[in-house]
Amino acid sequence: MENGKVCSAKQITGHLTFPLVVVSIISSFGSSMLYGYNLAVVNSPSEHIKRFYNATWLQRYGQPLAQSPLTIMYSLTVSVFALGGMLGSLMVGILVSRFGRKGSLIASAPLVFIAGALMGFSRLFGSPEMVIIGRFITGIHSGITLSVVPMYLGEISPKNLRGFLGLLPSIFICLGVFTAQVLGLPELLGQDANWPLFLALIVLPTLVQLIILPWFPESPRYLLIDKNNVHATIDALRCFLGEYDVQDVIEEMQEEQQSLSSVETVSVCQLLMDRTLFWQILSVVVINMGMQLSGIDAIWFYTNSIFENAGVPLAEIPYTTVGTGAIEIIAGLIGCFTVEKLGRRPLVIGGFSFMGFCCAGITLALVFQARIAWMRYVSVACVIGIIAGFCIGPAGIPFIMTGELFKQSHRPAAYIVGGTLNWLSNFTVGFVFPFLQMSAGAFSYMVFCGVCVFVAAYVYFIIPETKNKTFMEISQMFSTANTKSTPIITVDDVKLRKMNGYGALDSSSIEVSLPENLKGPMDSIS
């Protein structure tokens, strides 16, 4: 049996095929890119949107908005996107179980058209509420797709390409930010007359996705393990892998299906209550919260003010910001093309460590820039360093790890937990950072430095490398750790305990994991 597993593990590799490339690009372009676009799209037209809010208020009530209510309305316009994202992330489990992975992307697409129409016609109807509601709806869509796209790509990819294809969404997130920065230039859509169109352009990538994606298959793992549709699974595998003989891949998925035969898709409460999954759950919490609490959102929100303090002329700041967007894409491509060679751990550990170093550098630069003129340029370099360090690994690998650390039955709930914490941390940073900056000044960045160092240390000591491993192999790595911590295992323990949260083991697995003196009694358990 062991020889069979080794042989299977060697053959479940694959190469890039046209369907794999198209599905990865289209799903990332029509979904993940919108997340990055919506993060940055409200930055350049902020003054135009505020003037629209003020003019509408004056027309309705005969007096202009005071500065404080105007700031609150605009802050709500920005932050409501994260609130929608939290709501969307809570819907992931239901959607992927009912509609599938590809089906969830298609089913959520109408949200983008509704949001685009609301924001695009908001000035025509003189309604700031349409802008805010549109932002909220786009947040719901991004909350859904930010989890579903990595889940879909992770399940259709051969194990030797799972990291490469899994990082494509993060590259398109960076591309979305860059696109919003470029289109927001005064020469393009950065004028007052164009901001409704600027906000409504999100419908175009989704329209392309909606036209192309239905022609490609659903996730083979979903078809076999969740729907038990063998024929559709074989067709999907042949399409994605470009090979007629997919027996090895089917056997690997059936092995996982058998281990889940007595376990239905678990809820978030069931996942959190399962003590055998403690380290996996804690790992998802740490890497997803660390991704947002690393300070990247504060850097994105306040890049302009940092550049202004560094002496960059106001007229040149938009173009400097576009330059940082280009660096994001380059760093993302570096991570994408090295993840399968270096592994997940080096990119995450290196990325967070470098971000922590740069956060400390910003603190020093801000403290001494009044005395030392060239320190202003150190702060700019550290901003660029934080963005580059984030995009190389921490921007996308947490989503890959969230899918890799769990089997099929627990994966939707894991993405709900990771996605919700991700969005909650995003909202927290955006809301708390201004107050933190007022109270701690330059030392506010040391909080982010501490978070980055902690996450890097946690990944180094706790999370194993998952490169080139099947989902079953990753599960067995954590199972082995749990077994080593429990030296004596009785027959009753095996009967009653869910090993690693995936249901009772079959007799062959029990023979491998138990000491020799227990193999005899186990033969009768099935």
Side-chain angles (χ1 to χ4, degrees):
M1 181 174 178
E2 289 299 320
N3 293 336
K5 286 185 179 180
V6 172
C7 179
S8 178
K10 288 182 179 179
Q11 296 180 8
I12 305 176
T13 58
H15 57 277
L16 276 177
T17 62
F18 179 75
L20 270 178
V21 172
V22 172
V23 169
S24 301
I25 291 176
I26 290 300
S27 58
S28 300
F29 174 71
S31 297
S32 303
M33 184 175 169
L34 300 188
Y35 170 69
Y37 186 86
N38 283 301
L39 281 178
V41 71
V42 291
N43 289 339
S44 58
S46 59
E47 294 303 319
H48 306 316
I49 296 174
K50 289 177 182 178
R51 278 199 294 269
F52 165 66
Y53 286 177
N54 203 17
T56 303
W57 195 271
L58 179 63
Q59 185 178 4
R60 288 182 182 179
Y61 305 107
Q63 58 183 4
L65 268 170
Q67 184 61 38
S68 179
L70 179 60
T71 303
I72 292 174
M73 282 188 67
Y74 181 74
S75 298
L76 180 62
T77 304
V78 175
S79 60
V80 76
F81 176 69
L83 294 177
M86 281 190 283
L87 177 60
S89 65
L90 293 173
M91 302 165 60
V92 169
I94 297 174
L95 290 174
V96 297
S97 297
R98 182 172 181 180
F99 299 107
R101 283 56 167 156
K102 183 194 79 172
S104 296
L105 296 178
I106 296 173
S108 62
L111 293 172
V112 178
F113 296 109
I114 295 172
L118 286 171
M119 294 186 292
F121 292 106
S122 57
R123 186 161 63 181
L124 181 63
F125 289 97
S127 174
E129 296 85 357
M130 291 174 66
V131 179
I132 296 172
I133 295 172
R135 288 278 296 172
F136 179 72
I137 294 175
T138 58
I140 295 175
H141 176 264
S142 291
I144 294 170
T145 58
L146 204 61
S147 294
V148 175
V149 173
M151 190 188 307
Y152 182 37
L153 298 187
E155 292 183 2
I156 69 174
S157 306
K159 67 177 185 179
N160 61 311
L161 296 174
R162 201 165 57 227
F164 171 76
L165 295 179
L167 278 182
L168 277 181
S170 67
I171 292 177
F172 275 87
I173 290 173
C174 297
L175 185 60
V177 172
F178 180 70
T179 302
Q181 291 168 341
V182 171
L183 292 179
L185 293 174
E187 294 83 356
L188 298 176
L189 298 180
Q191 300 294 333
D192 180 63
N194 299 325
W195 68 261
L197 174 63
F198 190 21
L199 298 182
L201 280 180
I202 55 175
V203 302
L204 295 181
T206 304
L207 179 62
V208 174
Q209 177 182 274
L210 205 56
I211 293 172
I212 298 177
L213 194 59
W215 294 96
F216 292 90
E218 179 58 81
S219 160
R221 306 189 81 87
Y222 172 78
L223 293 172
L224 181 65
I225 298 175
D226 290 77
K227 294 301 182 181
N228 201 28
N229 190 336
V230 178
H231 294 293
T233 302
I234 294 174
D235 291 339
L237 287 172
R238 287 173 176 171
C239 174
F240 287 128
L241 301 183
E243 298 175 359
Y244 186 82
D245 185 5
V246 293
Q247 184 63 32
D248 292 326
V249 189
I250 292 287
E251 288 177 358
E252 185 267 326
M253 288 193 291
Q254 286 177 333
E255 182 183 357
E256 182 176 349
Q257 184 184 34
Q258 290 171 2
S259 72
L260 298 172
S261 58
S262 60
V263 181
E264 296 180 355
T265 301
V266 302
S267 65
V268 172
C269 291
Q270 290 172 319
L271 176 73
L272 298 178
M273 293 287 289
D274 193 338
R275 291 188 298 174
T276 62
L277 292 172
F278 173 78
W279 287 111
Q280 290 98 312
I281 296 170
L282 182 61
S283 298
V284 167
V285 171
V286 170
I287 60 177
N288 279 279
M289 291 190 69
M291 175 183 173
Q292 298 296 342
L293 298 180
S294 63
I296 186 63
D297 288 318
I299 294 297
W300 274 335
F301 294 155
Y302 298 98
T303 298
N304 287 3
S305 63
I306 293 174
F307 286 159
E308 184 178 348
N309 292 334
V312 178
L314 290 177
E316 297 179 9
I317 286 179
Y319 305 96
T320 308
T321 304
V322 169
T324 64
I327 291 171
E328 292 175 24
I329 297 175
I330 294 172
L333 288 171
I334 292 173
C336 186
F337 285 102
T338 58
V339 65
E340 293 300 350
K341 294 181 179 179
L342 300 178
R344 283 69 158 147
R345 279 166 46 88
L347 293 181
V348 173
I349 296 170
F352 275 113
S353 299
F354 189 65
M355 290 176 72
F357 174 79
C358 291
C359 284
I362 285 182
T363 300
L364 291 175
L366 292 178
V367 168
F368 291 106
Q369 72 178 11
R371 306 174 190 174
I372 306 173
W374 54 267
M375 276 293 180
R376 297 174 180 269
Y377 303 101
V378 173
S379 63
V380 173
C382 288
V383 168
I384 295 173
I386 290 174
I387 292 173
F390 178 77
C391 292
I392 283 178
I397 292 181
F399 296 112
I400 299 175
M401 285 185 166
T402 300
E404 290 181 333
L405 297 183
F406 295 89
K407 284 190 181 179
Q408 192 84 359
S409 60
H410 293 66
R411 198 169 294 132
Y415 270 105
I416 292 175
V417 172
T420 303
L421 292 175
N422 194 300
W423 284 99
L424 182 62
S425 301
N426 184 316
F427 178 77
T428 300
V429 170
F431 185 77
V432 172
F433 181 71
F435 301 98
L436 179 64
Q437 197 173 39
M438 284 189 293
S439 60
F443 294 95
S444 59
Y445 292 95
M446 292 305 295
V447 176
F448 303 130
C449 176
V451 171
C452 291
V453 172
F454 170 76
V455 176
Y458 179 90
V459 174
Y460 180 82
F461 288 107
I462 301 298
I463 301 181
E465 181 58 66
T466 57
K467 181 185 72 171
N468 282 341
K469 292 181 173 63
T470 66
F471 294 120
M472 284 295 294
E473 291 170 341
I474 296 169
S475 171
Q476 288 166 2
M477 290 164 61
F478 282 96
S479 259
T480 302
N482 291 335
T483 303
K484 287 180 180 178
S485 64
T486 310
I488 299 176
I489 304 177
T490 66
V491 175
D492 288 337
D493 287 333
V494 180
K495 285 182 178 179
L496 299 176
R497 180 181 172 198
K498 288 182 179 179
M499 296 298 289
N500 202 30
Y502 303 127
L505 295 175
D506 58 24
S507 58
S508 59
S509 298
I510 294 171
E511 285 184 1
V512 173
S513 61
L514 292 179
E516 290 291 329
N517 61 334
L518 290 181
K519 285 186 180 179
M522 292 300 96
D523 292 339
S524 61
I525 300 175
S526 58

